[in-house]
Amino acid sequence: MKKKFTTTLDEDIIIKIKIQALKEHRTVSDLLEELLKDYLLKQESNLDKMS
């Protein structure tokens, strides 16, 4: 289930992610979700290495 999430980001980052989404024919939401999932997996992996 998807939920609305509101946050504040640097204006330059917002412009760049919107342009990238257009280039890839995707939504900003889709790109951000993918990036966040990748980040969380990486962090989880790093924690596992420390154990």
Side-chain angles (χ1 to χ4, degrees):
M1 172 159 90
K2 294 196 177 214
K3 293 193 95 172
K4 188 170 183 150
F5 176 76
T6 305
T7 190
T8 304
L9 298 170
D10 183 79
E11 184 177 12
D12 290 337
I13 292 172
I14 294 170
I15 292 168
K16 289 177 181 178
I17 196 70
K18 285 182 176 184
I19 291 169
Q20 190 62 38
L22 286 171
K23 287 179 181 177
E24 295 185 24
H25 304 283
R26 297 168 70 186
T27 64
V28 170
S29 179
D30 184 46
L31 286 178
L32 291 175
E33 185 173 350
E34 179 182 320
L35 291 166
L36 288 169
K37 284 179 181 179
D38 289 347
Y39 172 80
L40 292 171
L41 284 172
K42 180 180 173 186
Q43 295 306 308
E44 188 177 289
S45 176
N46 287 340
L47 286 175
D48 289 344
K49 288 178 186 176
M50 297 174 89
S51 299

